[in-house]
Amino acid sequence: MTWKLLHDKVKHQLDFIYADVDLPMPTEELATSLIQTIGLEASDLDKPPTPHSNYWDEEDIIMITYGDSIIEGDERPLVTLNRFLHRYCKNTINKVHILPFFPYSSDDGFSVIDYSSVNESLGNWDDIEAIAKDYGLMTDLVINHCSARSAWFSNFIKGEGPGSDFFFTADPTDDLSMVTRPRISPLLRETETANGTQYVWCTFSHDQVDFDFRNPKVLLAFIEIIKLYIDKGAKLFRLDAVAFLWKIVGTNCINLDQTHEVIRLIRTLIEHVDPSIIIITETNIPNRENLTYFGNANEAHSIYNFSLPPLLVNTLVSGDCKYLKNWMMSMPPAQNGTTYFNFIASHDGIGLRPAEGLLSDDEISDFVHTMQHFGGKISWRASEGGQQKPYEINITLFDALQGTIKGPDKWQVDRFICAHAIMLGMEGIPGIYVHSLLGTSNDYEKVANTGQNRSINRRRWDLSELEPLLDSPYSQHHKVLTRLSQLIRVRKAQPAFHPNATQFTLQLGNQIFGYWRQSLDRKQSIFCVSNISDEEQTVLMSDINLIGTDNWLDLVSRQEISLSSAFLQLKPYQTMWLSNQDFE
C-alpha cells in the first residue's frame, strides 16, 4: 500500500467519523498528522498488511494480572512478577496482560493520571520492557476516560493548556434518559472552571471524566500514546470500555457508528506499523452487540467472550448445560484474522449484562442468590426507567465454584478444573486470571479496607507467603496450579486447539457438555466431553461417533479408549479430551 492509498483510506475513515463535526482542520491534514504520529513513513509501506491473517495459534495463553498482584519486600513488583512468571509459568504462559500500570487515582488503575509513565510503586519502563522481551505484552488503552486528577483535567478547569478542550460536557436539561450506564452514580459532574460551571460526562465515576472524541486532538493524543506503548514492547492492546467512546445527546451513547469507525481507524494505523499487533475490545455488553466489534475482520482482531463466564459458572452450579449449549451453537465461527478471547475470571466480576437474553430473569436471580450464598457481592446498574438491576457478581472463581445450588460440597477443585478444561478447549485464545492460576479465595479484608466489592478478587499476595503454599502438595493453591499447568501444556501441543480450528457442539444431554474440534489441516480431531454434574454420568460411544479406523486417547488422563466399549464413564466434573493423535 502506497502512502497515498493509506492516506486516502485514513481520510475516508475520518470523513465518516467527523461527518457531523465542524473540524478546525481539513481531514486531509488530520490524516497526515495521524500517520506521522504513529511513526509511519513512505518507506514503511512497501508491503501492505495481509488481510485475514491469524497471528496466533494453539500455544497462546494469556495471564491477566495486576503489576502488584504478587509482591516481595522492597523489590519492585514488576520485577517480582517477572521472577514469578519464570519460575511458575515458563512452560505454560506466553503472553501477559498487565492491567493498567500507570499512575492512577481510583478504580485500581482504570482512572489514569498519566498515560506516559509507569506507576513508581510498580517499577519503571525498563521492568515493563524486560517482561515484554520474554512474553507477549498486553497493555490497556484506557480510551474512554481519564482521572479527574490528571494534568489534562486540571487544564480543563483552568481553561488553558493541553487537555483544556478534551472533555465531554452536557447540560443538565438535556434529555439523557436513554443513556446506557454501567453504574448508578449521577452521569454529570458539576465542575467549576475558568469558563464557568461545566457539567462533565462521567460514564463510570466522578473521578473518571470522559473524553470528547469530537475534538481530533483527543484522537491524536491517543495515537501518540499507542506509538509509545508499541515502542515499549506492547503486542496486544485492550481497548477498555471502548463501547462508550462516542456520545450523542439524545441517544443511548453506546456502540455508536462513530465508535466502531474509530476502532477501525486505530486498526488501520496499527497494522501498518506491525500487522502482528492484536487489538482486543473490552465491551461488557449483550452478546449480539459484542459480536459487532469484529466488523468485517477490519475492526477488533479479538473480542472478549463476555457471555462465557456467567453461562459456564451457572452451568456448573446448576448442573445443567442447556443454556451454555444453546449459546455455543449460536456463536458464529470467527473468520480468519479474528478470534474470540475466552476467559472465565478477571479483575472485574462476573458480568451479567452479557447473559441477558441467554439466561431468563429467574435463572439470573437464582444464580445471583447462589453466588451470594458463596460469599459473593453484587454490583448494580441503573436500567432504563431508573430501575436497579444486578450488573456483575464480585467473587473469586475458586469460591464461585465451591458448590452447587444445593450448597458447598467436596468437588470444589474438580469443578474449578472442569471449568478451565471447557474453556481451554474452546475456539479462541484463553485468558487466565492470576488468581485463578493460584486458586485464590475471596479477600473479605480487602473489601473492608477499600469499600469496593471488586476488591474481593484482587488479593495482593506476598511471594514469601505464596511460595510455600504453591510448593505444598496439600494446599488448594498447589493442587490448582499443578492441574491447570498440566492442562495448559496438553492444550498447547494440539493443532486441533488452534483458536480458529473448526468447532461443533455435541448433543449429549444436559449433564454432559461436549464439542468437537478439528485442526486446520483436518488431521487431528478432539472430542471434548465434560461431566458438569456432581454425579457420575454415562456417555454412549455411539453418541460421540469416534471413527473406528483411528486409535483414540484421552489426552487428560493419558488412557487409551477402547472402541469395543459401548460407553464412557465420567466421574463428577471429569473432562476427557478424546483425540485421534497425540502431539504432547
Side-chain angles (χ1 to χ4, degrees):
M1 178 178 281
T2 66
W3 174 277
K4 184 179 186 305
L5 286 173
L6 174 61
H7 186 275
D8 288 348
K9 182 177 181 180
V10 172
K11 178 189 178 301
H12 176 75
Q13 291 175 309
L14 292 170
D15 286 339
F16 182 89
I17 294 166
Y18 296 108
D20 298 322
V21 178
D22 185 15
L23 288 177
M25 65 182 84
T27 52
E28 293 90 342
E29 182 181 331
L30 179 56
T32 300
S33 295
L34 288 168
I35 295 169
Q36 291 174 340
T37 299
I38 200 73
L40 285 168
E41 299 179 2
S43 58
D44 300 319
L45 302 175
D46 295 337
K47 186 178 180 182
T50 304
H52 302 288
S53 297
N54 297 326
Y55 294 100
W56 44 78
D57 61 27
E58 60 273 12
E59 295 190 22
D60 288 321
I61 309 286
I62 301 175
M63 187 179 85
I64 306 162
T65 182
Y66 281 102
D68 60 355
S69 289
I70 302 171
I71 59 174
E72 184 169 44
D74 294 330
E75 185 175 60
R76 298 191 302 276
L78 289 170
V79 174
T80 306
L81 173 62
N82 204 356
R83 283 200 300 115
F84 171 84
L85 285 165
H86 279 86
R87 176 172 180 187
Y88 292 102
C89 306
K90 191 172 183 179
N91 298 317
T92 52
I93 302 298
N94 70 339
K95 291 180 169 53
V96 182
H97 175 198
I98 306 177
L99 291 155
F101 46 81
F102 320 104
Y104 71 95
S105 55
S106 65
D107 199 16
D108 279 357
F110 287 91
S111 185
V112 179
I113 293 175
D114 178 8
Y115 288 84
S116 63
S117 63
V118 176
N119 189 334
E120 290 182 357
S121 68
L122 297 178
N124 53 46
W125 279 118
D126 288 342
D127 301 325
I128 292 292
E129 291 182 86
I131 293 173
K133 181 170 67 73
D134 295 322
Y135 300 89
L137 175 65
M138 178 168 163
T139 185
D140 285 277
L141 192 68
V142 186
I143 196 169
N144 178 70
H145 52 263
C146 72
S147 169
R149 288 175 48 193
S150 65
W152 283 342
F153 196 66
S154 295
N155 288 342
F156 170 80
I157 292 173
K158 290 186 292 186
E160 59 183 22
S164 60
D165 52 357
F166 275 22
F167 299 95
F168 196 94
T169 61
D171 193 287
T173 61
D174 289 335
D175 180 9
L176 306 176
S177 59
M178 294 177 60
V179 175
T180 299
R181 295 288 312 289
R183 300 290 186 271
I184 57 176
S185 57
L187 175 63
L188 301 181
R189 166 188 164 139
E190 184 176 344
T191 305
E192 298 303 323
T193 76
N195 296 316
T197 302
Q198 300 283 325
Y199 295 89
V200 182
W201 195 284
C202 299
T203 299
F204 290 89
S205 78
H206 282 194
D207 186 53
Q208 294 165 293
V209 284
D210 283 31
F211 292 112
D212 186 354
F213 272 83
R214 295 175 302 181
N215 180 354
K217 287 190 285 186
V218 176
L219 178 61
L220 278 163
F222 272 96
I223 297 303
E224 187 173 349
I225 291 165
I226 289 170
K227 172 67 163 59
L228 171 66
Y229 296 171
I230 292 174
D231 290 344
K232 298 299 184 182
K235 296 296 290 183
L236 302 95
F237 282 89
R238 175 186 184 272
L239 304 190
D240 176 65
V242 70
F244 302 97
L245 180 142
W246 198 273
K247 289 92 173 163
I248 298 176
V249 171
T251 72
N252 61 5
C253 298
I254 189 171
N255 306 324
L256 298 186
D257 291 341
Q258 293 89 339
T259 293
H260 285 279
E261 196 64 42
V262 168
I263 298 169
R264 288 193 281 269
L265 172 61
I266 292 172
R267 164 81 174 260
T268 297
L269 294 169
I270 286 180
E271 69 184 3
H272 282 85
V273 174
D274 182 349
S276 70
I277 291 175
I278 297 168
I279 296 172
I280 303 180
T281 49
E282 188 267 336
T283 47
N284 193 353
I285 51 180
N287 192 55
R288 186 179 297 272
E289 298 169 27
N290 192 29
L291 289 167
T292 64
Y293 283 85
F294 277 140
N296 296 313
N298 61 349
E299 202 164 324
H301 296 89
S302 185
I303 62 173
Y304 272 72
N305 225 340
F306 272 111
S307 295
L308 180 60
L311 289 177
L312 182 49
V313 176
N314 182 67
T315 290
L316 289 163
V317 299
S318 69
D320 188 334
C321 67
K322 63 176 176 290
Y323 294 104
L324 180 63
K325 189 165 50 178
N326 290 340
W327 164 77
M328 195 155 171
M329 287 188 294
S330 73
M331 291 294 282
Q335 59 179 303
N336 283 328
T338 66
T339 188
Y340 293 106
F341 180 60
N342 295 326
F343 72 107
I344 42 178
S346 74
H347 62 290
D348 290 337
I350 301 171
L352 293 174
R353 281 210 78 209
E356 293 175 8
L358 302 173
L359 295 176
S360 67
D361 288 345
D362 287 343
E363 284 282 340
I364 290 175
S365 179
D366 290 343
F367 182 35
V368 166
H369 289 148
T370 301
M371 293 299 100
Q372 286 176 310
H373 183 56
F374 292 164
K377 309 290 184 182
I378 308 300
S379 295
W380 302 86
R381 70 176 179 90
S383 64
E384 293 180 11
Q387 181 186 3
Q388 289 193 19
K389 298 188 71 173
Y391 175 70
E392 70 178 16
I393 300 164
N394 303 112
I395 191 170
T396 69
L397 183 63
F398 188 71
D399 279 355
L401 295 172
Q402 66 185 266
T404 68
I405 54 176
K406 295 177 286 189
D409 59 27
K410 64 180 180 180
W411 302 109
Q412 183 173 14
V413 172
D414 292 321
R415 190 180 290 111
F416 183 80
I417 298 301
C418 179
H420 285 88
I422 290 172
M423 187 264 287
L424 284 167
M426 290 175 60
E427 174 191 359
I429 299 173
I432 301 181
Y433 188 36
V434 64
H435 290 301
S436 293
L437 204 65
L438 300 176
T440 305
S441 295
N442 292 336
D443 191 341
Y444 300 111
E445 183 178 349
K446 190 166 187 179
V447 173
N449 290 338
T450 65
Q452 301 295 319
N453 287 349
R454 285 179 167 177
S455 296
I456 201 169
N457 195 21
R458 297 179 179 180
R459 177 167 181 166
R460 185 177 294 141
W461 278 104
D462 190 301
L463 188 59
S464 61
E465 176 191 3
L466 179 61
E467 283 187 322
L469 295 172
L470 292 178
D471 296 338
S472 168
Y474 304 105
S475 77
Q476 69 190 43
H477 313 286
H478 173 88
K479 293 174 183 175
V480 165
L481 180 61
T482 300
R483 291 180 64 180
L484 277 184
S485 297
Q486 177 196 7
L487 273 177
I488 291 169
R489 283 192 293 268
V490 174
R491 177 233 153 75
K492 287 163 66 80
Q494 313 307 323
F497 285 149
H498 186 285
N500 293 89
T502 299
Q503 178 172 288
F504 184 83
T505 308
L506 303 177
Q507 304 299 318
L508 302 172
N510 289 339
Q511 280 67 56
I512 298 290
F513 181 68
Y515 52 91
W516 170 69
R517 303 294 309 278
Q518 185 182 61
S519 59
L520 297 175
D521 62 9
R522 299 188 178 182
K523 292 180 180 179
Q524 185 188 28
S525 286
I526 301 178
F527 291 85
C528 304
V529 183
S530 297
N531 178 0
I532 53 84
S533 78
D534 58 3
E535 296 180 355
E536 189 169 291
Q537 299 291 330
T538 300
V539 180
L540 294 176
M541 294 289 274
S542 58
D543 287 344
I544 302 178
N545 197 25
L546 302 182
I547 299 172
T549 56
D550 290 340
N551 296 317
W552 294 88
L553 173 76
D554 174 18
L555 297 172
V556 179
S557 68
R558 312 302 302 168
Q559 291 184 341
E560 292 185 7
I561 303 301
S562 172
L563 295 182
S564 62
S565 299
F567 54 84
L568 295 172
Q569 290 290 121
L570 277 81
K571 298 174 183 176
Y573 306 107
Q574 181 182 357
T575 292
M576 290 184 174
W577 287 343
L578 307 173
S579 176
N580 64 337
Q581 294 191 51
D582 179 19
F583 290 90
E584 191 177 5

